[in-house]
Amino acid sequence: RFTPKPLGYLRIDLDEKKDSVFTLDQCPFTFSAPNYFDLEYNNKNKCWINLKYYKHRATIHLTYKQINGNLVNLLEESRNMVYKHTVKADAINEKRYLNDINNTYGTLYDIHGQTASSVQFYITDSVYHFIRGALYFEVNPNQDSLKPIINYLRTDIINIMETVIWEEDNFLTIENTGT
């Protein structure tokens, strides 16, 4: 006798979170993130990095840019990158972030629906530094099966935003040497 198998999803095992401080060569910031991320530098720009979570084929792309009187353009560019997903998004929620102690301000975007990226953000000091980040998976977007991993990594993204510390000494060295 034939009995059909019920539909189901694979069991997802998530790693224990043990934070590490990520200090980046030649970049004017540090942050904390779980140690299950592998750091990968972009060949063209050392301060464009990928935090790879190979186990779940996820990447948090981080792009650092120096502000040169262009903060409004950087904010608009970041917002445009988020709202390109409106074609497939069911909703986009914005949450403001403010930390006067670390001099960091930003926005976290939760993008709901069958989109390529479900969480994006930017963090800045509004004068010198700007970081934009986006979570992507190397799989077809299926919100039902990815939701536990998205929620898990979303907490890591919030942790990154909350722990960014601007390294003014590194920034001044980079600026003065022209590298």
Side-chain angles (χ1 to χ4, degrees), residues 1 7 31 44 73 82 97 111 149 168:
R1 197 165 193 200
L7 292 176
F31 60 89
K44 294 179 184 177
N73 292 342
V82 169
Y97 176 78
I111 307 167
I149 303 168
E168 296 303 324

Side-chain angles (χ1 to χ4, degrees), residues 114-150:
Q114 304 294 12
T115 61
S117 177
S118 52
V119 182
Q120 295 192 25
F121 71 96
Y122 71 82
I123 196 87
T124 182
D125 69 350
S126 301
V127 180
Y128 300 109
H129 310 288
F130 187 89
I131 299 171
R132 182 178 139 26
L135 171 64
Y136 285 94
F137 289 90
E138 296 172 27
V139 297
N140 288 332
N142 179 342
Q143 291 300 320
D144 290 338
S145 60
L146 291 177
K147 189 163 181 69
I149 303 168
I150 291 168

Side-chain angles (χ1 to χ4, degrees), residues 13-82:
D13 292 322
L14 300 172
D15 294 312
E16 183 181 340
K17 293 182 184 280
K18 294 180 183 174
D19 277 353
S20 296
V21 174
F22 285 78
T23 303
L24 310 171
D25 297 336
Q26 301 177 3
C27 297
F29 62 93
T30 62
F31 60 89
S32 292
N35 61 358
Y36 48 74
F37 285 111
D38 288 319
L39 186 66
E40 183 179 276
Y41 288 95
N42 179 303
N43 291 334
K44 294 179 184 177
N45 187 326
K46 291 265 187 216
C47 292
W48 289 14
I49 61 168
N50 296 321
L51 294 174
K52 304 287 263 180
Y53 187 24
Y54 289 106
K55 181 176 180 179
H56 292 291
R57 300 176 65 190
T59 302
I60 299 173
H61 299 280
L62 297 175
T63 305
Y64 171 82
K65 293 186 178 180
Q66 183 179 338
I67 298 173
N68 292 314
N70 60 343
L71 179 60
V72 173
N73 292 342
L74 293 172
L75 292 170
E76 189 61 28
E77 180 182 288
S78 181
R79 186 173 170 79
N80 287 341
M81 294 291 283
V82 169

